[in-house]
mmCIF file of all heavy atoms in Angstrom:
data_model
loop_
_atom_site.group_PDB
_atom_site.id
_atom_site.type_symbol
_atom_site.label_atom_id
_atom_site.label_comp_id
_atom_site.label_asym_id
_atom_site.label_seq_id
_atom_site.Cartn_x
_atom_site.Cartn_y
_atom_site.Cartn_z
ATOM 1 N N MET B 1203 171.299 -180.294 14.314
ATOM 2 C CA MET B 1203 171.181 -180.668 15.737
ATOM 3 C C MET B 1203 170.636 -179.510 16.500
ATOM 4 O O MET B 1203 170.438 -178.430 16.006
ATOM 5 C CB MET B 1203 172.475 -181.121 16.321
ATOM 6 C CG MET B 1203 173.078 -182.237 15.579
ATOM 7 S SD MET B 1203 171.998 -183.629 15.763
ATOM 8 C CE MET B 1203 172.704 -184.754 14.654
ATOM 9 N N ILE B 1220 152.770 -179.827 31.680
ATOM 10 C CA ILE B 1220 153.201 -178.658 30.972
ATOM 11 C C ILE B 1220 152.715 -178.642 29.548
ATOM 12 O O ILE B 1220 153.038 -177.841 28.751
ATOM 13 C CB ILE B 1220 154.754 -178.580 30.979
ATOM 14 C CG1 ILE B 1220 155.294 -179.967 30.873
ATOM 15 C CG2 ILE B 1220 155.229 -177.886 32.168
ATOM 16 C CD1 ILE B 1220 156.757 -180.044 31.134
ATOM 17 N N GLN B 1223 151.134 -175.474 26.888
ATOM 18 C CA GLN B 1223 151.753 -174.161 26.993
ATOM 19 C C GLN B 1223 152.441 -173.852 25.687
ATOM 20 O O GLN B 1223 153.309 -174.584 25.247
ATOM 21 C CB GLN B 1223 152.799 -174.144 28.091
ATOM 22 C CG GLN B 1223 152.202 -174.043 29.482
ATOM 23 C CD GLN B 1223 153.284 -173.947 30.501
ATOM 24 O OE1 GLN B 1223 154.424 -173.652 30.148
ATOM 25 N NE2 GLN B 1223 152.973 -174.156 31.754
ATOM 26 N N THR B 1224 152.059 -172.754 25.048
ATOM 27 C CA THR B 1224 152.729 -172.433 23.823
ATOM 28 C C THR B 1224 153.883 -171.491 24.040
ATOM 29 O O THR B 1224 154.797 -171.400 23.256
ATOM 30 C CB THR B 1224 151.782 -171.765 22.849
ATOM 31 O OG1 THR B 1224 151.181 -170.660 23.497
ATOM 32 C CG2 THR B 1224 150.688 -172.729 22.419
ATOM 33 N N ALA B 1242 159.326 -187.332 52.457
ATOM 34 C CA ALA B 1242 159.630 -187.672 51.065
ATOM 35 C C ALA B 1242 160.637 -186.692 50.458
ATOM 36 O O ALA B 1242 160.488 -185.481 50.586
ATOM 37 C CB ALA B 1242 158.353 -187.689 50.277
ATOM 38 N N ASP B 1256 175.653 -192.429 36.985
ATOM 39 C CA ASP B 1256 176.803 -192.266 37.853
ATOM 40 C C ASP B 1256 177.081 -193.543 38.672
ATOM 41 O O ASP B 1256 178.187 -194.062 38.692
ATOM 42 C CB ASP B 1256 176.510 -191.081 38.794
ATOM 43 C CG ASP B 1256 177.743 -190.559 39.459
ATOM 44 O OD1 ASP B 1256 178.844 -191.163 39.293
ATOM 45 O OD2 ASP B 1256 177.649 -189.535 40.139
ATOM 46 N N GLU B 1258 175.984 -196.641 38.199
ATOM 47 C CA GLU B 1258 176.315 -197.802 37.410
ATOM 48 C C GLU B 1258 177.715 -197.718 36.862
ATOM 49 O O GLU B 1258 178.439 -198.714 36.755
ATOM 50 C CB GLU B 1258 175.313 -197.977 36.248
ATOM 51 C CG GLU B 1258 173.928 -198.382 36.689
ATOM 52 C CD GLU B 1258 173.912 -199.663 37.495
ATOM 53 O OE1 GLU B 1258 174.423 -200.689 36.987
ATOM 54 O OE2 GLU B 1258 173.450 -199.624 38.655
ATOM 55 N N THR B 1300 177.895 -188.754 13.819
ATOM 56 C CA THR B 1300 177.866 -189.924 12.938
ATOM 57 C C THR B 1300 177.084 -191.031 13.634
ATOM 58 O O THR B 1300 177.678 -191.961 14.157
ATOM 59 C CB THR B 1300 179.278 -190.435 12.646
ATOM 60 O OG1 THR B 1300 180.121 -190.127 13.750
ATOM 61 C CG2 THR B 1300 179.861 -189.855 11.419
ATOM 62 N N GLY B 1306 177.267 -198.257 15.594
ATOM 63 C CA GLY B 1306 177.945 -199.472 15.208
ATOM 64 C C GLY B 1306 179.133 -199.754 16.093
ATOM 65 O O GLY B 1306 179.363 -200.867 16.534
ATOM 66 N N ALA B 1368 158.136 -181.597 12.491
ATOM 67 C CA ALA B 1368 157.859 -182.965 12.181
ATOM 68 C C ALA B 1368 159.011 -183.906 12.356
ATOM 69 O O ALA B 1368 158.860 -185.070 12.723
ATOM 70 C CB ALA B 1368 157.337 -183.070 10.733
ATOM 71 N N SER B 1425 161.392 -192.352 47.520
ATOM 72 C CA SER B 1425 161.601 -192.907 48.877
ATOM 73 C C SER B 1425 163.071 -193.252 49.045
ATOM 74 O O SER B 1425 163.853 -193.246 48.087
ATOM 75 C CB SER B 1425 160.771 -194.187 49.059
ATOM 76 O OG SER B 1425 161.212 -195.148 48.127
ATOM 77 N N ALA B 1475 138.876 -194.566 37.803
ATOM 78 C CA ALA B 1475 139.721 -195.092 36.740
ATOM 79 C C ALA B 1475 140.973 -195.717 37.337
ATOM 80 O O ALA B 1475 141.552 -195.183 38.285
ATOM 81 C CB ALA B 1475 140.120 -193.953 35.803
ATOM 82 N N GLU B 1476 141.357 -196.841 36.773
ATOM 83 C CA GLU B 1476 142.620 -197.469 37.189
ATOM 84 C C GLU B 1476 143.659 -197.140 36.177
ATOM 85 O O GLU B 1476 143.522 -197.401 34.977
ATOM 86 C CB GLU B 1476 142.432 -199.009 37.270
ATOM 87 C CG GLU B 1476 143.680 -199.730 37.662
ATOM 88 C CD GLU B 1476 143.404 -201.023 38.422
ATOM 89 O OE1 GLU B 1476 142.812 -200.932 39.537
ATOM 90 O OE2 GLU B 1476 143.735 -202.096 37.915
ATOM 91 N N ILE B 1477 144.724 -196.506 36.616
ATOM 92 C CA ILE B 1477 145.786 -196.065 35.719
ATOM 93 C C ILE B 1477 146.967 -196.997 35.769
ATOM 94 O O ILE B 1477 147.529 -197.214 36.841
ATOM 95 C CB ILE B 1477 146.297 -194.642 36.084
ATOM 96 C CG1 ILE B 1477 145.129 -193.686 36.262
ATOM 97 C CG2 ILE B 1477 147.250 -194.145 35.031
ATOM 98 C CD1 ILE B 1477 144.404 -193.313 35.038
ATOM 99 N N HIS B 1511 149.300 -199.378 13.987
ATOM 100 C CA HIS B 1511 150.365 -200.308 14.434
ATOM 101 C C HIS B 1511 151.108 -199.797 15.671
ATOM 102 O O HIS B 1511 152.296 -200.010 15.821
ATOM 103 C CB HIS B 1511 151.398 -200.557 13.309
ATOM 104 C CG HIS B 1511 150.776 -201.015 12.075
ATOM 105 N ND1 HIS B 1511 150.073 -202.176 11.950
ATOM 106 C CD2 HIS B 1511 150.709 -200.431 10.833
ATOM 107 C CE1 HIS B 1511 149.627 -202.318 10.724
ATOM 108 N NE2 HIS B 1511 150.005 -201.286 10.026
ATOM 109 N N GLY B 1514 148.903 -199.111 21.485
ATOM 110 C CA GLY B 1514 147.527 -199.354 21.803
ATOM 111 C C GLY B 1514 146.932 -200.493 21.001
ATOM 112 O O GLY B 1514 146.117 -201.312 21.496
ATOM 113 N N VAL B 1533 137.180 -201.365 23.101
ATOM 114 C CA VAL B 1533 138.413 -200.723 23.598
ATOM 115 C C VAL B 1533 138.567 -199.377 22.942
ATOM 116 O O VAL B 1533 138.394 -199.215 21.739
ATOM 117 C CB VAL B 1533 139.628 -201.596 23.256
ATOM 118 C CG1 VAL B 1533 140.906 -200.926 23.646
ATOM 119 C CG2 VAL B 1533 139.502 -202.962 23.944
ATOM 120 N N GLU B 1534 138.844 -198.347 23.738
ATOM 121 C CA GLU B 1534 139.079 -197.020 23.197
ATOM 122 C C GLU B 1534 140.556 -196.774 23.061
ATOM 123 O O GLU B 1534 141.323 -197.070 23.959
ATOM 124 C CB GLU B 1534 138.516 -195.968 24.176
ATOM 125 C CG GLU B 1534 137.001 -196.025 24.386
ATOM 126 C CD GLU B 1534 136.288 -195.362 23.241
ATOM 127 O OE1 GLU B 1534 136.871 -194.521 22.559
ATOM 128 O OE2 GLU B 1534 135.090 -195.660 23.029
ATOM 129 N N ILE B 1536 143.430 -194.009 22.303
ATOM 130 C CA ILE B 1536 143.817 -192.612 22.129
ATOM 131 C C ILE B 1536 145.262 -192.601 21.634
ATOM 132 O O ILE B 1536 146.135 -193.186 22.270
ATOM 133 C CB ILE B 1536 143.764 -191.847 23.476
ATOM 134 C CG1 ILE B 1536 142.411 -191.924 24.069
ATOM 135 C CG2 ILE B 1536 144.168 -190.411 23.275
ATOM 136 C CD1 ILE B 1536 141.422 -190.966 23.504
ATOM 137 N N VAL B 1541 149.214 -187.664 11.521
ATOM 138 C CA VAL B 1541 149.865 -186.709 10.609
ATOM 139 C C VAL B 1541 151.271 -186.437 11.153
ATOM 140 O O VAL B 1541 151.502 -186.586 12.343
ATOM 141 C CB VAL B 1541 149.065 -185.375 10.536
ATOM 142 C CG1 VAL B 1541 147.670 -185.564 10.052
ATOM 143 C CG2 VAL B 1541 149.093 -184.655 11.863
ATOM 144 N N ILE B 1560 141.271 -187.915 26.885
ATOM 145 C CA ILE B 1560 141.283 -189.126 27.706
ATOM 146 C C ILE B 1560 139.978 -189.190 28.500
ATOM 147 O O ILE B 1560 139.335 -190.278 28.590
ATOM 148 C CB ILE B 1560 142.478 -189.128 28.657
ATOM 149 C CG1 ILE B 1560 143.780 -188.970 27.899
ATOM 150 C CG2 ILE B 1560 142.500 -190.424 29.463
ATOM 151 C CD1 ILE B 1560 144.993 -188.939 28.776
#
Side-chain angles (χ1 to χ4, degrees):
Chain B
M1203 302 296 172
I1220 35 193
Q1223 282 185 16
T1224 54
D1256 196 354
E1258 290 304 304
T1300 29
S1425 64
E1476 178 150 298
I1477 310 289
H1511 306 298
V1533 175
E1534 296 280 338
I1536 302 280
V1541 300
I1560 305 179

